[in-house]
Amino acid sequence: MASGVLRDGLYMNVFCRFFLLPLGLFSSSLCGPALDSVFAWTLCPLNVLLIIVDDLRPSLGCYGDKAIRSPNIDQLASRSLLFQNAFAQQAVCAPSRVSFLTGRRPDTTRLYDFNSYWRIHAGNFSTIPQYFKENGYVTMSVGKVFHPGISSNYSDDSPYSWSFPPYHPSSEKYENTKTCRGPDGQLHANLLCPVDVADVPEGTLPDKQSTEQAIRLLEKMKTSASPFFLAVGYHKPHIPFRYPKEFQKLYPLENITLAPDPQVPAGLPPVAYNPWMDIRQREDVQALNLSVPYGPIPVDFQRKIRQSYFASVSYLDTQVGHLLSALDDLQLTNSTIIAFASDHGWALGEHGEWAKYSNFDVATRVPLMFYVPGRTAPLPEAGEELFPYIDPFDSVLELMEPGRRVMDLVELLSLSPTLAGLAGLHVPPRCPVPSFHVQLCREGQNLGKHFQLQDLGEDPHLRGNPRESIAYSQYPRPADYPQWNSDKPSLKDIKVMGYSIRTIDYRYTVWVGFDPREFLANFSDVHAGELYFVDSDPLQDHNMYNDSQGRDLLQSLMP
């Protein structure tokens, strides 16, 4: 953007924020798709609050899970556009985050593990916060946004993506240490780790610290002449399940049900199974003396895992609630887009698995919702709170329906172009093939069309056809059979890649040979296949790949 346009935009932003807004004369809904993007940005640039959660599957009230107490996230959903069928491109932290923050697929970022930095290893691809920063935004990172370590150059991609050094909670370093008090009274490094917060090191937890820091930044930005892009990354419900112990009370063990399909499916190819080695390393799981790779977890411990996952989700919900309530208190809800997403899901016993690391829906499907002031919900009146804090411990919680659901299948890597479009910035162009030499482009769709339906009277001709939407995912394996590094193989060890297509009707996965030196898949070298018909088999337990019905479908897909 030209410096003159940027300068004038900042002047106009000051006018909007400090003169028109207090008088009720400025509506951020003016920033609609009908306006030229530069003019819209200049007139009324919207802030962005991006909330990224680690390992959160759609186990939320707003996604129909009535057992989960998530009133604050549900309240956000009630004022948002909610995507019912959103999928990650790889169900593991670093590859997924780099994918949706750059808008590129893992085969383009060439990151399938945790051990490379895309700007050096693949191409100097821009990120969504970098794009906002280059367009005059103050960009800030709190908590786990990029995966820390090599995959973000040990800097969370600073200084490219952020205006200031990213914030990481000081108590984060205790997450995997012996801070879990066991039945023996001693401290352990357990999977299940409900704690008395007053007794843990520093007397706090990482997500609490991240919320507090995010609120401090919002307070500073309230009086800023520049719009902001604030990304807040929450750790829970990532393992270990280390959360305030009072949240266990929301989920009595006697009320916890098991996964509806806790057995390893008979027709599951061995290459598709993940042996959840990371939770086996926890002291309380080691004490169960489970056989590898398929050894089932005892039923009573399964219930405890599910209880702690759900309790972690409710604890997360309180942090989201405090953050959004502060946005209200600072009168920023009428000028801030809120995007809420997870990096991938997590299996809670389905298919006999207890982790991500697969192509199943439970690992790849994620919550995804967008609040846009004046678009997904009316602008708040003076003094009105859109997101008052709701205590999940209240005995009676009001059931809140999402503002509007989109049933089309969408991909998480659409997050970047969608945020750009909603903020009134120019949406980056589609990537050519190959695109390693192109710094700014997108491989995902801009989901902006879904936000226009309300404005256009729900014209049925503008609705997407769910049967035409497709989501792609992939996962690497070091071998055809489960082994110690099947969950998280290093690049050099990858021998097989599972490419998966999810449509409204089926999930089709083909496991093919892969050359990690050339980053090439050999689709003539098929190791195994999976095919699940969603209508008759929503849990994906009956592999029809070698069945006559499956062969007929696959034949019809051939060019």
Side-chain angles (χ1 to χ4, degrees):
M1 181 176 293
S3 59
V5 173
L6 177 58
R7 183 189 63 249
D8 293 343
L10 294 180
Y11 291 154
M12 191 62 188
N13 189 32
V14 173
F15 182 66
C16 289
R17 289 169 186 271
F18 298 115
F19 292 93
L20 299 187
L21 267 173
L23 296 174
L25 300 176
F26 166 59
S27 169
S28 55
S29 62
L30 291 172
C31 296
L35 290 180
D36 172 80
S37 61
V38 172
F39 178 70
W41 189 93
T42 304
L43 179 62
C44 46
L46 290 172
N47 306 309
V48 175
L49 172 60
L50 171 60
I51 301 172
I52 301 172
V53 184
D54 210 344
D55 289 16
L56 178 64
R57 58 196 253 163
S59 290
L60 299 165
C62 53
Y63 278 87
D65 194 331
K66 295 181 173 57
I68 306 301
R69 286 186 167 244
S70 52
N72 294 286
I73 298 172
D74 297 345
Q75 180 172 244
L76 172 62
S78 74
R79 305 189 186 282
S80 299
L81 184 64
L82 181 145
F83 289 87
Q84 187 72 21
N85 294 296
F87 293 88
Q89 279 45 79
Q90 187 177 330
V92 68
C93 302
S96 177
R97 289 166 185 260
V98 169
S99 173
F100 69 73
L101 288 168
T102 62
R104 316 280 185 117
R105 300 185 188 279
D107 276 349
T108 303
T109 65
R110 292 181 167 177
L111 180 66
Y112 312 108
D113 57 11
F114 299 81
N115 304 320
S116 67
Y117 181 42
W118 77 90
R119 293 187 190 271
I120 296 172
H121 196 60
N124 188 27
F125 309 143
S126 292
T127 68
I128 188 63
Q130 178 183 355
Y131 186 53
F132 274 80
K133 180 183 175 185
E134 291 169 350
N135 279 278
Y137 278 70
V138 176
T139 58
M140 302 165 286
S141 174
V142 171
K144 185 178 178 182
V145 178
F146 284 98
H147 190 86
I150 298 174
S151 62
S152 57
N153 203 32
Y154 296 101
S155 66
D156 297 292
D157 194 45
S158 292
Y160 298 101
S161 287
W162 310 111
S163 303
F164 309 106
Y167 170 85
H168 286 278
S170 59
S171 62
E172 192 175 278
K173 59 182 173 287
Y174 304 110
E175 276 292 280
N176 293 301
T177 62
K178 295 188 176 187
T179 57
C180 318
R181 196 165 299 281
D184 59 0
Q186 302 300 309
L187 295 177
H188 299 273
N190 285 345
L191 173 67
L192 311 181
C193 192
V195 298
D196 184 337
V197 176
D199 288 344
V200 300
E202 300 187 27
T204 189
L205 294 173
D207 287 345
K208 291 172 68 69
Q209 287 186 291
S210 290
T211 300
E212 292 161 0
Q213 174 65 9
I215 292 172
R216 285 192 288 267
L217 291 174
L218 289 174
E219 290 170 346
K220 290 181 179 179
M221 293 308 300
K222 177 177 171 59
T223 56
S224 171
S226 301
F228 65 81
F229 180 107
L230 172 60
V232 181
Y234 286 114
H235 283 264
K236 296 304 113 178
H238 191 288
I239 63 171
F241 300 125
R242 186 167 172 261
Y243 58 92
K245 63 183 182 181
E246 57 266 24
F247 285 89
Q248 273 189 324
K249 298 174 183 177
L250 295 174
Y251 303 97
L253 269 178
E254 59 269 22
N255 296 343
I256 301 296
T257 59
L258 301 178
D261 55 346
Q263 305 299 324
V264 179
L268 184 70
V271 69
Y273 182 78
N274 84 78
W276 32 280
M277 297 302 294
D278 49 359
I279 79 163
R280 294 175 187 270
Q281 298 167 10
R282 309 288 166 168
E283 291 183 34
D284 49 351
V285 178
Q286 286 180 347
L288 300 174
N289 197 27
L290 304 173
S291 62
V292 179
Y294 297 109
I297 291 177
V299 167
D300 60 340
F301 201 85
Q302 290 188 37
R303 287 196 172 90
K304 290 179 180 178
I305 294 177
R306 290 170 67 88
Q307 176 195 45
S308 276
Y309 184 93
F310 300 150
S312 296
V313 171
S314 291
Y315 163 56
L316 158 76
D317 181 79
T318 63
Q319 299 310 302
V320 173
H322 288 307
L323 177 60
L324 297 184
S325 177
L327 200 72
D328 257 340
D329 294 341
L330 294 167
Q331 298 181 330
L332 290 169
T333 49
N334 55 2
S335 57
T336 303
I337 296 166
I338 304 169
F340 179 94
S342 169
D343 54 358
H344 43 69
W346 212 79
L348 284 169
E350 294 87 357
H351 313 113
E353 296 180 332
W354 298 89
K356 46 245 186 184
Y357 315 131
S358 83
N359 284 316
F360 283 120
D361 278 14
V362 288
T364 56
R365 185 167 168 248
V366 296
L368 178 64
M369 64 188 79
F370 297 85
Y371 160 77
V372 185
R375 299 293 301 280
T376 62
L379 290 169
E381 301 292 336
E384 179 188 3
E385 291 186 330
L386 286 187
F387 304 112
Y389 177 77
I390 304 172
D391 189 342
F393 289 91
D394 286 350
S395 56
V396 179
L397 291 176
E398 178 186 351
L399 181 64
M400 286 175 281
E401 293 294 328
R404 187 162 60 85
R405 297 178 190 268
V406 173
M407 302 307 294
D408 290 22
L409 277 73
V410 300
E411 298 178 302
L412 198 50
L413 86 168
S414 291
L415 181 67
S416 291
T418 302
L419 279 177
L422 291 175
L425 302 181
H426 175 70
V427 176
R430 282 279 197 174
C431 290
V433 180
S435 65
F436 299 107
H437 62 290
V438 180
Q439 181 174 341
L440 179 65
C441 66
R442 61 182 171 93
E443 294 182 346
Q445 293 185 18
N446 174 15
L447 303 178
K449 67 177 183 180
H450 298 288
F451 295 83
Q452 299 179 36
L453 296 181
Q454 287 180 319
D455 299 339
L456 299 171
E458 297 285 348
D459 184 340
H461 298 291
L462 291 174
R463 289 181 185 274
N465 181 355
R467 295 193 179 281
E468 295 177 355
S469 57
I470 297 175
Y472 297 91
S473 302
Q474 63 188 98
Y475 209 86
R477 294 283 189 238
D480 287 332
Y481 289 86
Q483 59 185 46
W484 66 273
N485 62 341
S486 287
D487 294 345
K488 295 182 285 187
S490 296
L491 174 64
K492 64 181 177 59
D493 297 323
I494 297 172
K495 301 294 190 295
V496 186
M497 186 70 75
Y499 289 95
S500 194
I501 300 173
R502 177 65 156 85
T503 75
I504 204 71
D505 297 313
Y506 59 84
R507 177 174 286 285
Y508 171 48
T509 304
V510 60
W511 296 90
V512 300
F514 186 83
D515 183 346
R517 294 181 300 274
E518 300 295 329
F519 303 96
L520 286 178
N522 182 358
F523 284 89
S524 63
D525 178 22
V526 177
H527 291 228
E530 300 170 78
L531 179 62
Y532 306 99
F533 292 100
V534 175
D535 281 345
S536 59
D537 183 22
L539 301 178
Q540 300 168 12
D541 290 318
H542 304 287
N543 183 9
M544 306 295 286
Y545 181 77
N546 292 313
D547 184 89
S548 59
Q549 183 184 2
R551 288 194 296 269
D552 290 344
L553 173 63
L554 296 178
Q555 188 65 38
S556 71
L557 297 176
M558 297 296 180

